[in-house]
Amino acid sequence: MATSQITASLRNLPAFERFQPSALRFSSAGHVRIGTLTQPSFPSFVVKAATVVAPKHTTVKPLGDRVLVKIKDAEEKTAGGILLPANAQGKPQGGEVVAVGEGKSVGKCKVDVSVKTGAQVVHSKYAGTEVEFNGSKHLILKDDDIVGILETDEVKDLEPLNDRVLIKVAEAEEKTAGGLLLTEATKEKPSIGTVIAVGPGPLDEEGNRKPLSVMPGNTVLYSRYAGNDFKGKDGSDYIALRASDVMAILS
């Protein structure tokens, strides 16, 4: 087919209406005229990365109910001392609060941020905006995205905030009903556990805390894929989730 025929054929296709002709050389086909993509033709892709703050800025002050957290470094070794490659290191979900906003207004009340500067906190895995300044990575996130305060290395010591609940997950069944042993990969993820700690509750329209409907010691059924998963030092599994993700109290 002649070059003019190829160009005409492409121009008649709707997908090529916004192409501008240009020439590319192919070793086996001589000169073929195809389209050069113009910007409005396809949606753009966004690559998420830390926003680097210019060196002339030495402080970042969060506003409203936002909090600035210095991100904790990812673990480079397993508990047994095995070095982890970069792609196997878990994304850190905690850090130190280095600055807080002035709080927010709820109705006629002014409500302070739930955490103070210096607190060690755990936050939702994908919350906030990452920024880098003074050579360290930080996260700006809302007060409501902070799961709880954890001042030790033991997950069971987590103090949930707002409407969060900390649950110790029931152990997965080791066998099927017929007695067959299950491998780790085939064990069903349990959605039952025991409440270890609860937050003070969400704010109502007047800025007062509403107590949660569950309390420590309750055995509960919760949404299977909600919340943040943690592994305790004793090997036990824990999950921190919102009280609204708890579906029932079992007795």
Side-chain angles (χ1 to χ4, degrees):
M1 184 182 291
T3 301
S4 59
Q5 291 175 312
I6 294 175
T7 305
S9 298
L10 292 177
R11 285 176 175 168
N12 290 332
L13 294 175
F16 291 86
E17 287 179 353
R18 301 185 68 86
F19 280 17
Q20 299 296 330
S22 65
L24 290 180
R25 181 181 297 273
F26 295 86
S27 58
S28 60
H31 290 280
V32 180
R33 297 179 70 83
I34 64 173
T36 299
L37 184 64
T38 58
Q39 187 175 357
S41 303
F42 289 86
S44 59
F45 291 93
V46 177
V47 178
K48 185 177 180 181
T51 301
V52 179
V53 178
K56 65 180 180 179
H57 302 295
T58 57
T59 60
V60 176
K61 178 175 175 54
L63 300 177
D65 61 342
R66 288 178 173 80
V67 177
L68 180 66
V69 175
K70 184 178 180 180
I71 299 175
K72 182 180 179 181
D73 292 334
E75 294 293 336
E76 296 183 358
K77 294 183 179 181
T78 64
I82 300 174
L83 285 172
L84 292 172
N87 58 356
Q89 294 172 16
K91 180 177 179 181
Q93 293 175 235
E96 179 184 353
V97 176
V98 294
V100 299
E102 66 274 13
K104 65 179 180 180
S105 296
V106 179
K108 297 181 179 180
C109 298
K110 183 68 175 294
V111 180
D112 293 332
V113 174
S114 330
V115 293
K116 304 295 183 184
T117 302
Q120 300 293 325
V121 298
V122 175
H123 56 77
S124 298
K125 186 178 292 185
Y126 300 109
T129 299
E130 195 172 295
V131 295
E132 184 174 337
F133 70 100
N134 288 345
S136 301
K137 289 184 178 180
H138 295 70
L139 199 65
I140 299 177
L141 66 165
K142 288 197 170 186
D143 179 38
D144 189 55
D145 289 323
I146 296 178
V147 175
I149 299 173
L150 183 60
E151 298 290 356
T152 71
D153 293 331
E154 184 54 71
V155 177
K156 66 182 181 181
D157 294 332
L158 178 72
E159 300 175 23
L161 295 177
N162 300 313
D163 62 341
R164 297 306 206 292
V165 177
L166 178 66
I167 296 172
K168 183 178 182 180
V169 179
E171 293 184 6
E173 293 295 331
E174 300 286 341
K175 295 182 180 181
T176 66
L180 294 176
L181 286 172
L182 294 172
T183 64
E184 289 296 328
T186 56
K187 290 178 185 178
E188 183 178 359
K189 182 179 178 181
S191 55
I192 295 175
T194 303
V195 176
I196 301 299
V198 301
L203 295 168
D204 62 18
E205 295 179 354
E206 296 180 354
N208 300 314
R209 294 284 179 183
K210 297 187 295 183
L212 301 180
S213 55
V214 295
M215 62 182 63
N218 286 155
T219 300
V220 296
L221 176 69
Y222 57 87
S223 297
R224 180 165 295 173
Y225 300 105
N228 294 59
D229 297 307
F230 304 97
K231 179 73 74 173
K233 282 188 173 181
D234 60 355
S236 299
D237 291 318
Y238 294 84
I239 186 169
L241 40 72
R242 294 186 184 275
S244 57
D245 291 318
V246 176
M247 298 185 288
I249 297 175
L250 307 178
S251 59

